[in-house]
Amino acid sequence: MEYFIVGTFWTLYCVLHSYLISIHFTSLMRVYLKRYYAFYRLFYVLISLVLIVPLIRYSAGIESTRIMTYSLPLNSVRLGLIAASLAIFFWTFFFSYDPLSFFGIRQIMNREKGQIKATKELSRKGLLGVARHPMYTALIVCLWCQIFTIKDILVNTILTIYVIIGTILEERKLVLEFGNAYLKYQQQVPMLIPFFKLKDSK
């Protein structure tokens, strides 16, 4: 029963988290909030943090059967993958993206200039030239290096499915935003797995 509750809570969080940033909902917020829409990204980040912290604490308090223990050299490989994935995640975040835009600060700053959204252009620099979403790739790798119990497998499966679905939905938004430039980017750079692209059927 506890697994069902944990799985339900995480699924609901993922659904809400995705809906709040969906094209449909953000379009409504843009209409209703008008110039105050510049504050919406910051609200989205804050509400995401407010909701996920108690969820993590609740999940951590659930006892679960331990199914995996790590010993050398497997533990060294696991820790190495975690370190590498965290390095990729933060390198991409700070050097390939705009952290101020991610947290909504850039949008608020631009509001004073009469703009509603962050100034943004398609970037392919650094790791974005290897995979279109290297931060999500790193997140998935990090998740699956944290397997100790049945609960971990359940939560990681839900989060992995969410990341993949969320990436696909984000791709649709990026196509709308950048048009043919992003379609060309999709053809040239894989989405999540570096150096791996499905061949286009002819």
Side-chain angles (χ1 to χ4, degrees):
M1 185 63 181
E2 288 182 330
Y3 291 148
F4 176 78
I5 294 174
V6 170
T8 299
F9 281 167
W10 276 105
T11 300
L12 289 175
Y13 174 83
C14 291
V15 171
L16 178 63
H17 188 262
S18 182
Y19 180 69
L20 290 178
I21 204 65
S22 66
I23 296 174
H24 173 72
F25 190 76
T26 54
S27 297
L28 289 176
M29 291 298 98
R30 191 186 299 272
V31 171
Y32 289 124
L33 297 177
K34 296 182 172 61
R35 286 194 66 196
Y36 292 102
Y37 179 73
F39 294 91
Y40 181 74
R41 178 70 191 190
L42 179 60
F43 164 78
Y44 172 74
V45 172
L46 291 176
I47 197 66
S48 298
L49 290 174
V50 167
L51 292 176
I52 200 171
V53 169
L55 181 54
I56 291 175
R57 294 184 63 182
Y58 174 76
S59 300
I62 299 296
E63 293 187 4
S64 181
T65 304
R66 191 178 184 94
I67 59 172
M68 181 75 74
T69 54
Y70 300 93
S71 57
L72 292 174
L74 184 59
N75 194 48
S76 297
V77 174
R78 183 181 75 89
L79 294 176
L81 287 172
I82 292 174
S85 62
L86 290 175
I88 291 171
F89 184 94
F90 287 108
W91 180 273
T92 305
F93 181 73
F94 286 108
F95 295 102
S96 297
Y97 292 123
D98 179 10
L100 291 181
S101 294
F102 177 86
F103 290 111
I105 306 301
R106 182 80 63 196
Q107 292 86 324
I108 296 172
M109 293 168 57
N110 286 348
R111 177 176 178 268
E112 303 302 323
K113 304 175 184 177
Q115 301 176 10
I116 296 180
K117 63 180 181 178
T119 302
K120 187 177 181 182
E121 59 182 27
L122 182 61
S123 174
R124 296 183 54 174
K125 64 181 180 180
L127 294 172
L128 295 179
V130 179
R132 300 197 299 274
H133 302 276
M135 287 176 61
Y136 298 157
T137 302
L139 179 59
I140 292 173
V141 171
C142 191
L143 283 174
W144 288 101
C145 287
Q146 307 286 348
I147 295 296
F148 300 95
T149 66
I150 295 175
K151 177 187 64 182
D152 295 331
I153 293 179
L154 172 64
V155 174
N156 289 351
T157 299
I158 293 171
L159 291 177
T160 300
I161 293 172
Y162 169 66
V163 169
I164 294 172
I165 294 176
T167 303
I168 294 172
L169 295 176
E170 184 176 340
E171 291 267 295
R172 295 179 182 177
K173 294 173 65 176
L174 292 169
V175 169
L176 290 176
E177 184 171 358
F178 295 108
N180 289 332
Y182 200 83
L183 291 174
K184 184 177 180 180
Y185 182 39
Q186 288 178 317
Q187 295 172 356
Q188 297 173 338
V189 178
M191 185 171 74
L192 289 171
I193 306 176
F195 312 113
F196 177 82
K197 268 188 64 62
L198 294 174
K199 294 184 179 179
D200 296 329
S201 58
K202 297 183 179 179

